[in-house]
Amino acid sequence: MRKIELPTTQKIESSAIRRQWRALIIALLVLDAMCVLGSLALAYLIRIDGLIPYYATVNDAAYRKLVILAMPLFLACFAILGLYQRDNLLGGVVEYKQVVKGCIAGLMLLVVYVVFARMDDFDPSRGWLILSGALSIAMVGTMRFLVRRVVYRLREMRWLTSRVLIVGANDQGVAIAKQWMSNPHSGMQVVGFLDDFKAVGSVVLDNIRVIGRPSALDELSRLYHVDEVIVVSTAVAWESFGELVTRDAKAQGYTLRLSPGFYEMLTTGVAVTTKTFVPLLTINESRIVGIDAFLKWLLDYGLGGLLALVSLPFGLVIALTLKLRNPHAPVLTRTRIVGRSGRPFSMLRFNTRPSLAQQSGRRGKLERWLRMTGLDKLPQLWNVMRGQMSLVGPRPRASLDRVTDMHTMHNLQAVKPGIVGPWMRKDHHASSDPLHDELSYIRNWQIWTDLPILFEAVVKLFTRMFRGNKRPSHPVEQEQEWLPSDDKSLRKDILY
């Protein structure tokens, strides 16, 4: 077996990672306790101590006892709900959901204690209890959000980052490695591949090589100080797979994880369920589900509804002006778009196609200004309100005929198309491949992904409105300008 030596600087003791995680868990315990104590004390100051009038008899000693007792009760609930387990921290919304459940459970235990402790002379304020629950959720949730940001910074310096071996160097294994390498906050540092079929020493991705066979996993994990091993089930021989999943990974000092082997095919997630003790993976219909779907809904209908209401008078003025300038042309154009799950719908847009007189150069300033600023998309807020589009999403497409890859086609339909999206980003966040950016957006979507895109869109809108900057356009966009609606070119998959 050919041994590939790592540079000395990369040889980080696994125990250092464990010490860093232990320090993080202890810090979370202390900060959680402080937040719980602070939230209940603040609720007392607001409800009992004068900020809101309170006329009942106050038993200060009983309140102090409850505030002190709340700390261990809340922390016990947090621990039971997995808020100090590594897999539940630093990613996704599971941590925040458990914070809500933990605070509610802690508060319920506090009420149960009051009842069973027979504190007959003490009747806790219902307002204090409700306020304590709301403040504890807000303070613990905010604290954990800020801790994540600190840890993300630390991970850029390789703190709290696990060294990973991927067993299987096929397309799925490479896609997983790319995903982690492209995100400095992932906390996963791929140090090599193990593969049954490729030659040892062959380069798989950048400077990452095949360092051995799966049968040598234990020896190589010690040599490379590996913390986690990812087995891509579709990339290894069946004999190797059976041998890998039955070995004692904990005794070897690493965590063994299985990848189902369809990461590159699907951007939608899966849920692990058990049917009579048989574990099964259920594929979600949409990429965004659960609390993520609620946050996306809140953004689309909350902010989208507000924008639709505020822009309504402006939109009516634009529509009236377009009608007066060209009485025989429709104010709006309707284009059939492929929506989520392949469901077609009519996407609205102000009709900025020129009449014959405008094409001769005599008029058309308003139409050009609408296209330059992007305000021709204003009617698409109606599509958002109808649940057909999102404020932010992948590019609307009239068809997916040009997308020959079946997996890419399926992934593009996993979310609603957007009025604005990742294709608009021209800075360092964008790559040279717009389709790759869109798939990356779908795969990595969080509510925080949409906010910078919306912010950039607003800045560009006002910049173009008041400075008159020319709207940078995609080559396809330039190609399709001034085309009549019945032109066959409009059947191309990319509209703008």
Side-chain angles (χ1 to χ4, degrees), residues 326-483:
N326 195 351
H328 303 293
V331 172
L332 299 175
T333 61
R334 298 173 184 269
T335 307
R336 296 295 284 175
I337 296 295
V338 179
R340 189 176 64 183
S341 302
R343 288 189 286 269
F345 67 93
S346 295
M347 185 181 72
L348 302 176
R349 197 169 186 171
F350 280 126
N351 183 6
T352 57
R353 293 191 298 270
S355 65
L356 292 177
Q358 290 167 343
Q359 288 190 54
S360 66
R362 282 180 291 168
R363 293 194 298 176
K365 290 184 179 179
L366 174 63
E367 289 82 355
R368 285 197 295 272
W369 183 77
L370 288 174
R371 287 197 308 278
M372 179 190 71
T373 58
L375 287 173
D376 55 335
K377 299 180 184 178
L378 207 54
Q380 290 170 20
L381 289 172
W382 175 245
N383 292 115
V384 174
M385 292 297 100
R386 296 191 65 185
Q388 298 164 331
M389 295 182 70
S390 288
L391 291 179
V392 185
R395 186 189 301 271
R397 287 172 167 82
S399 76
L400 297 175
D401 293 343
R402 287 191 170 188
V403 182
T404 55
D405 181 9
M406 181 185 67
H407 303 145
T408 302
M409 186 187 304
H410 176 84
N411 292 331
L412 288 173
Q413 296 174 3
V415 298
K416 301 174 188 174
I419 298 178
V420 298
W423 75 88
M424 298 179 64
R425 308 195 81 173
K426 305 297 181 186
D427 55 11
H428 63 281
H429 295 289
S431 72
S432 57
D433 183 358
L435 184 59
H436 172 271
D437 289 343
E438 290 184 75
L439 291 175
S440 177
Y441 165 83
I442 297 170
R443 192 183 301 281
N444 298 291
W445 184 90
Q446 298 180 58
I447 191 65
W448 317 112
T449 313
D450 282 358
L451 300 183
I453 296 176
L454 279 173
F455 178 75
E456 286 186 28
V458 171
V459 171
K460 287 179 181 177
L461 170 66
F462 284 100
T463 301
R464 292 168 183 168
M465 283 180 67
F466 297 110
R467 293 186 182 178
N469 288 3
K470 289 185 178 181
R471 179 184 178 184
S473 55
H474 189 277
V476 177
E477 180 183 5
Q478 296 171 349
E479 179 187 344
Q480 292 184 342
E481 282 192 347
W482 306 104
L483 291 174

Side-chain angles (χ1 to χ4, degrees), residues 153-462:
R153 291 292 183 187
L154 291 174
R155 280 181 166 173
E156 294 176 3
M157 299 180 286
R158 297 296 188 190
W159 282 55
L160 291 161
T161 299
S162 300
R163 295 171 63 80
V164 180
L165 270 181
I166 296 180
V167 183
N170 67 350
D171 291 343
Q172 305 301 319
V174 172
I176 292 171
K178 281 183 178 177
Q179 170 74 6
W180 288 335
M181 292 171 64
S182 64
N183 186 353
H185 304 153
S186 67
M188 305 292 267
Q189 181 192 4
V190 180
V191 298
F193 289 89
L194 304 183
D195 196 82
D196 279 321
F197 309 106
K198 294 187 177 178
V200 175
S202 58
V203 177
V204 178
L205 179 67
D206 294 339
N207 60 343
I208 303 178
R209 300 169 181 267
V210 175
I211 60 174
R213 303 298 180 204
S215 57
L217 172 60
D218 291 344
E219 294 79 4
L220 291 171
S221 67
R222 287 193 293 272
L223 175 64
Y224 285 80
H225 306 285
V226 168
D227 303 296
E228 303 202 24
V229 174
I230 311 299
V231 179
V232 182
S233 59
T234 57
V236 294
W238 178 247
E239 293 79 10
S240 298
F241 181 78
E243 193 272 333
L244 287 170
V245 298
T246 53
R247 67 178 56 203
D248 188 356
K250 188 175 181 181
Q252 300 298 327
Y254 57 80
T255 302
L256 186 68
R257 302 182 190 275
L258 300 181
S259 167
F262 47 73
Y263 169 79
E264 183 67 1
M265 299 182 196
L266 297 174
T267 56
T268 55
V270 297
V272 179
T273 57
T274 55
K275 299 292 184 184
T276 321
F277 304 105
V278 177
L280 300 171
L281 297 178
T282 303
I283 298 174
N284 296 325
E285 181 184 356
S286 175
R287 160 63 183 86
I288 305 172
V289 296
I291 188 67
D292 284 332
F294 172 73
L295 294 174
K296 185 74 169 174
W297 180 90
L298 202 62
L299 183 68
D300 285 342
Y301 288 95
L303 182 59
L306 181 64
L307 289 175
L309 190 64
V310 171
S311 63
L312 183 60
F314 187 57
L316 290 176
V317 170
I318 293 175
L320 182 61
T321 306
L322 289 173
K323 193 65 181 176
L324 291 175
R325 289 166 61 87
N326 195 351
H328 303 293
V331 172
L332 299 175
T333 61
R334 298 173 184 269
T335 307
R336 296 295 284 175
I337 296 295
V338 179
R340 189 176 64 183
S341 302
R343 288 189 286 269
F345 67 93
S346 295
M347 185 181 72
L348 302 176
R349 197 169 186 171
F350 280 126
N351 183 6
T352 57
R353 293 191 298 270
S355 65
L356 292 177
Q358 290 167 343
Q359 288 190 54
S360 66
R362 282 180 291 168
R363 293 194 298 176
K365 290 184 179 179
L366 174 63
E367 289 82 355
R368 285 197 295 272
W369 183 77
L370 288 174
R371 287 197 308 278
M372 179 190 71
T373 58
L375 287 173
D376 55 335
K377 299 180 184 178
L378 207 54
Q380 290 170 20
L381 289 172
W382 175 245
N383 292 115
V384 174
M385 292 297 100
R386 296 191 65 185
Q388 298 164 331
M389 295 182 70
S390 288
L391 291 179
V392 185
R395 186 189 301 271
R397 287 172 167 82
S399 76
L400 297 175
D401 293 343
R402 287 191 170 188
V403 182
T404 55
D405 181 9
M406 181 185 67
H407 303 145
T408 302
M409 186 187 304
H410 176 84
N411 292 331
L412 288 173
Q413 296 174 3
V415 298
K416 301 174 188 174
I419 298 178
V420 298
W423 75 88
M424 298 179 64
R425 308 195 81 173
K426 305 297 181 186
D427 55 11
H428 63 281
H429 295 289
S431 72
S432 57
D433 183 358
L435 184 59
H436 172 271
D437 289 343
E438 290 184 75
L439 291 175
S440 177
Y441 165 83
I442 297 170
R443 192 183 301 281
N444 298 291
W445 184 90
Q446 298 180 58
I447 191 65
W448 317 112
T449 313
D450 282 358
L451 300 183
I453 296 176
L454 279 173
F455 178 75
E456 286 186 28
V458 171
V459 171
K460 287 179 181 177
L461 170 66
F462 284 100

